[in-house]
């Protein structure tokens, strides 16, 4: 099993995603002789998982069933153990695009945190690229190394435990892109410039507060970065609902136009009006925004090394 290479069959030692529903799933490390408890009953790894194909429907001991999914960076983001606040797929997708990442790219990241963005970056730059990720906290750095090894991507990432603001990334003039998610990114701009290739490298800084953004932009200007711009991603979700509206009274002109051939009692026209409309009303499908939406997460500041 690898997060960057798909495998058909579940093997001993794999990390798999137990899918109970869109709002209920969790990761499990497959081990011979181990069992996993779910609300639908027990899953026995030796008989229910090992040797089965990813995507299989597995019946639990109480008669309920779950799906076993192959892990992806997106699924891992939704299910990983939180050691820090993490980036989610909405911001990750924009970061990947704006940093112009592709297979073979060299990326520097700080800090590693829970590894949400790291897994997406590794998948993007594989199979010939590399991620250099720096984490200040020793235990988080060691845990990240362990997860990368278990997920079959350790050959694509180098984890370093040090202070990026003081010691940098440990590489010079090779990175195509740098990503910063630290409390004081303006202190690491000089090290980011040193890590980037001679010309055209891209940098991104994620900060929750606009005061951090202001200081970071000033530092970027000081070190000669160009095309500096800041944005935030606000995701608005729409639900499909059946809406009922009263038919407007347009007077005699509307009655004169009633001979156009439309017959609401004709079964073939029921799909237009909807099912069982109220008298004097018409029903139709519409996209309705949620009453509440996810608000501000952070600002993304991008720039180019000139």
């Amino acid at each position: 099993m690898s997060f960057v290479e798909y495998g058909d069959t579940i093997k001993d030692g794999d990390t798999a995603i137990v899918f109970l529903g869109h709002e209920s799933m969790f990761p499990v490390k497959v081990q011979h002789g181990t069992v996993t408890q779910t609300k639908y009953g027990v899953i026995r790894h030796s008989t229910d998982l090992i040797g089965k194909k990813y995507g299989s429907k597995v019946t639990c001991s109480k008669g309920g069933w779950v799906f076993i999914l192959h892990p992806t960076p997106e699924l891992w983001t939704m299910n990983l153990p939180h050691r820090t606040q993490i980036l989610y797929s909405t911001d990750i997708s924009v970061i990947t695009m704006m940093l112009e990442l592709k297979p073979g790219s060299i990326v520097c990241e700080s800090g590693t945190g829970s590894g949400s963005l790291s897994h997406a970056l590794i998948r993007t730059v594989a199979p010939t690229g590399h991620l250099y990720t720096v984490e200040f906290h020793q235990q988080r750095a060691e845990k990240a190394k362990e997860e990368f090894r278990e997920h079959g991507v350790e050959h694509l990432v180098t984890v370093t435990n040090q202070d990026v603001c003081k010691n940098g990334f440990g590489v010079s003039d090779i990175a195509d892109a740098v990503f910063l998610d630290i409390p004081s990114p303006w202190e690491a701009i000089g090290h980011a410039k040193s890590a980037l290739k001679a010309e055209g490298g891209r940098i991104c800084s994620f900060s929750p507060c606009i005061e951090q953004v202001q200081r970071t932009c000033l530092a970027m200007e000081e070190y000669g970065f160009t095309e500096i711009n800041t944005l935030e991603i606000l995701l608005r979700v729409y639900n499909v609902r059946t809406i009922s509206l009263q038919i407007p009274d347009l007077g005699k002109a509307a009655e004169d136009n009633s001979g156009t051939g439309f017959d609401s009692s004709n079964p073939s026209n029921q799909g237009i009006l909807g099912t069982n409309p109220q008298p004097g009303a018409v029903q139709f499908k519409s996209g309705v925004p949620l009453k509440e939406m996810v608000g501000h997460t952070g600002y993304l500041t991008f720039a180019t090394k000139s």
Side-chain angles (χ1 to χ4, degrees), residues 175-245:
D176 297 289
V178 169
F179 176 79
L180 298 174
D181 184 6
I182 54 178
S184 53
W186 55 90
E187 296 181 359
I189 299 299
H191 294 297
K193 183 177 181 180
S194 298
L196 287 168
K197 60 187 182 181
E199 185 178 358
R202 295 278 287 166
I203 183 173
C204 174
S205 174
F206 176 89
S207 297
C209 301
I210 195 63
E211 291 81 7
Q212 294 170 302
V213 174
Q214 292 171 333
R215 295 188 65 175
T216 301
C217 290
L218 290 174
M220 288 178 175
E221 289 180 346
E222 180 182 346
Y223 280 96
F225 283 89
T226 60
E227 300 178 342
I228 302 172
N229 64 88
T230 299
L231 54 88
E232 65 175 332
I233 311 301
L234 300 178
L235 180 64
R236 191 176 190 185
V237 179
Y238 282 77
N239 283 341
V240 177
R241 292 286 185 267
T242 299
I243 304 297
S244 181
L245 292 178

Side-chain angles (χ1 to χ4, degrees), residues 7-27:
D8 288 331
T9 307
I10 304 171
K11 298 180 176 64
D12 189 12
D14 282 2
T15 297
I17 305 297
V18 180
F19 180 89
L20 293 82
H22 290 290
E23 302 296 329
S24 179
M25 63 184 90
F26 60 89

